[in-house]
């Protein structure tokens, strides 16, 4: 007998999202390098704004997020009317699927793409279609070949997580041009701020009705615990998403901290510079010990080992040294470990531990 109480199709096929581990049994001072968090925390100004928000706990927050959208618009040179804010960019990705995809529709993501994409697609009954990458980099031709009249959304993170690679503006534009007319190209710019001078796809999303950009306060802004993200695109898409968005999705604390954070671009610039410096240092240190990685544009590197067994052994060794990194087998990369760029002390500990591990083998 089948249970008469049944979830919508697709939901039971969702594999639960696994967050990065945060502790190791028996070790009290472990360094967490598994979730691409900012080693410097959040801007002091954002923290102060969050604390001030405590005085308004009894009031409902703004439903239109006008002040936060204005601040984002000012800093990025974008029309605030074309911005939507969500509880993390994850919510915006989900709203896009809810509004534009359903049973029978296809949602494209790439071979080593972010796992929230297939989760969001399945949650609305759509079919996630995984497209091959080339050398751990998004392959525009492969996506264009896979797109058809059922394709409603194409998700690309640029730079991508967990590979750290990105594709150039020409390739992104070629993709936007070549997709079927009913397909929205979503450019997930979670790591855009780590790339000096990069707009995350904002210019393309300004010009084209079929390109949408998402951004987050979880990475360079160091506010992953607060859950703030935003999206930017055609007015028509924003108007659709706002109809299904929970009107009070962001609390006072999120709105106030987000506004202060985006206005503190000195903090962002400092984090970007320090990340770039330590990322090069760590990649070179690991390469010297026979652990290569692709040139990363984000706040982590994807360290490649000989095979899955070596990656597993190295992960266990790092844990025994109090260093928590990310296994990425679920991203089709069983022989790799994704290592967040921590502060200088953390990077030096990782390099020394991997040198020790390689020396023992
Ligand atoms: C971390 C990350 C996000 C951000 O998610 P939030 O919900 O904003 O915390 C989005 N996309 C990718 C690819 C990420 O790695």
């Amino acid at each position: 007998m089948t249970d008469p109480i049944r979830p919508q199709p697709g939901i039971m096929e969702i594999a639960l999202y696994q967050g990065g581990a945060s502790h190791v049994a028996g070790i009290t001072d472990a360094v967490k390098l598994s979730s691409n968090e900012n080693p410097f925390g959040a801007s002091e100004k954002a923290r102060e704004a969050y604390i001030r928000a405590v005085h308004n706990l009894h009031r409902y927050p703004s439903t239109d997020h006008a002040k936060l959208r204005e601040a984002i618009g000012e800093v990025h040179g974008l029309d605030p009317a074309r911005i939507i804010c969500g509880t993390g960019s994850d919510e915006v990705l989900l709203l896009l699927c809810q509004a534009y995809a359903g049973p029978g529709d296809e949602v494209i993501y790439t071979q080593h793409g972010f796992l929230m994409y297939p989760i969001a697609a399945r949650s609305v009954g759509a079919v996630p279609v995984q497209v091959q990458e080339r050398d751990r980099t998004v392959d525009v031709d492969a996506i264009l070949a896979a797109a058809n009249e059922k394709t409603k959304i194409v998700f690309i993170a640029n730079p991508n997580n967990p590979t750290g690679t990105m594709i150039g503006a020409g390739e992104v534009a070629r993709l936007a041009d070549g997709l079927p007319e009913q397909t929205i190209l979503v450019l997930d710019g979670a790591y855009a701020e780590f790339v000096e001078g990069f707009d995350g796809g904002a210019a393309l999303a300004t010009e084209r009705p079929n390109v949408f950009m998402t951004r987050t306060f979880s990475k360079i802004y160091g506010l992953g615990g607060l859950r703030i993200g935003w999206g930017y695109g055609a007015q028509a898409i924003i108007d659709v998403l706002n109809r299904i968005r929970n009107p009070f999705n962001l609390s006072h604390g999120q709105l106030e901290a987000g506004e202060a954070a985006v206005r503190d671009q000195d903090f962002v610039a400092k984090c970007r510079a320090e990340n770039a410096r330590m990322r090069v240092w760590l990649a070179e240190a690991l390469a010297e010990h026979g652990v290569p990685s692709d040139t990363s544009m984000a706040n982590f590197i994807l360290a490649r080992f000989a095979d899955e067994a070596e990656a597993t052994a190295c992960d266990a060794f790092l844990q025994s040294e109090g260093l928590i990194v990310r296994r990425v087998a679920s991203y089709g990369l069983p022989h790799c470990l994704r290592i967040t760029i921590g502060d200088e002390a953390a990077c030096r500990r990782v390099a020394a531990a991997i040198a020790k591990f390689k020396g023992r083998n």
Side-chain angles (χ1 to χ4, degrees):
M1 223 179 65
T2 55
D3 191 338
I5 298 177
R6 284 193 297 269
Q8 289 292 307
I11 291 176
M12 295 313 288
E13 287 153 44
I14 293 174
L16 279 187
Y17 184 86
Q18 308 278 345
S22 55
H23 57 265
V24 189
I27 293 181
T28 49
D29 64 341
V31 179
K32 185 183 176 201
L33 303 170
S34 57
S35 296
N36 300 341
E37 293 154 342
N38 187 334
F40 306 108
S43 138
E44 192 57 40
K45 290 176 179 156
R47 295 193 225 194
E48 286 165 5
Y50 187 68
I51 290 167
R52 278 196 304 275
V54 80
H55 300 296
N56 273 323
L57 288 183
H58 60 302
R59 304 277 184 211
Y60 270 90
S62 138
T63 62
D64 64 8
H65 312 147
K67 283 180 67 213
L68 176 56
R69 288 187 297 106
E70 256 164 50
I72 293 169
E74 231 175 274
V75 168
H76 291 271
L78 304 174
D79 177 1
R82 291 174 58 178
I83 294 170
I84 183 169
C85 301
T87 53
S89 47
D90 284 356
E91 185 185 24
V92 182
L93 302 175
L94 201 55
L95 291 175
L96 285 161
C97 283
Q98 285 175 2
Y100 291 99
D105 294 332
E106 296 184 356
V107 172
I108 289 179
Y109 70 112
T110 66
Q111 187 182 1
H112 308 300
F114 190 40
L115 286 177
M116 275 309 295
Y117 308 148
I119 289 177
R122 286 202 171 95
S123 78
V124 299
V127 180
V129 175
Q130 195 190 77
V131 171
Q132 289 297 110
E133 297 184 7
R134 198 189 302 140
D135 299 330
R136 295 170 300 280
T137 306
V138 166
D139 181 344
V140 167
D141 292 310
I143 295 173
L144 291 176
N148 59 46
E149 69 284 352
K150 287 186 277 188
T151 309
K152 294 299 168 63
I153 298 176
V154 172
F155 284 118
I156 286 184
N158 203 33
N160 185 42
N161 168 23
T163 58
T165 60
M166 72 184 290
I167 58 172
E171 281 293 273
V172 178
R174 192 163 73 81
L175 179 56
D177 283 340
L179 287 172
E181 59 182 7
Q182 82 289 348
T183 306
I184 303 174
L185 172 61
V186 177
L187 301 173
D188 178 341
Y191 301 95
E193 294 85 357
F194 292 104
V195 186
E196 181 81 51
F198 178 50
D199 74 351
L204 212 59
T206 298
E207 289 161 23
R208 303 190 196 213
N210 67 331
V211 178
F212 194 89
M213 173 181 76
T214 61
R215 302 287 285 263
T216 185
F217 285 84
S218 300
K219 303 290 157 55
I220 208 164
Y221 289 99
L223 291 170
L226 206 49
R227 317 303 305 130
I228 322 164
W230 54 282
Y232 169 78
Q235 193 67 61
I237 297 180
I238 297 293
D239 291 347
V240 166
L241 301 186
N242 271 325
R243 283 179 159 72
I244 54 171
R245 175 177 64 79
N246 181 333
F248 301 108
N249 60 336
L250 293 187
S251 66
H252 285 303
Q254 288 164 299
L255 293 166
E256 298 293 332
E259 186 185 340
V262 76
R263 291 193 188 282
D264 191 357
Q265 288 296 313
D266 289 347
F267 175 77
V268 172
K270 192 193 99 189
C271 295
R272 179 191 303 117
E274 189 59 11
N275 178 71
R277 184 175 80 89
M278 292 318 299
R279 184 178 61 200
V280 171
W281 184 88
L282 184 62
E284 283 175 2
L286 298 197
E288 273 170 29
H289 295 291
V291 179
S293 55
D294 297 315
T295 300
S296 170
M297 305 304 288
N299 66 339
F300 54 84
I301 59 174
L302 184 69
R304 297 201 303 277
F305 293 84
D307 50 28
E308 177 165 9
E310 191 186 35
T312 305
C314 186
D315 180 43
F317 182 73
L318 290 173
Q319 283 190 38
S320 72
E321 298 274 309
L323 296 163
I324 308 172
V325 302
R326 183 68 157 258
R327 296 296 316 271
V328 280
S330 57
Y331 285 89
L333 296 161
H335 60 302
C336 298
L337 296 176
R338 191 192 69 190
I339 307 170
T340 301
I341 306 301
D343 61 14
E344 180 161 350
C347 288
R348 287 187 183 279
R349 272 180 71 178
V350 169
I354 289 182
K356 200 161 146 193
F357 170 77
K358 279 292 200 174
R360 293 184 329 170
N361 275 16

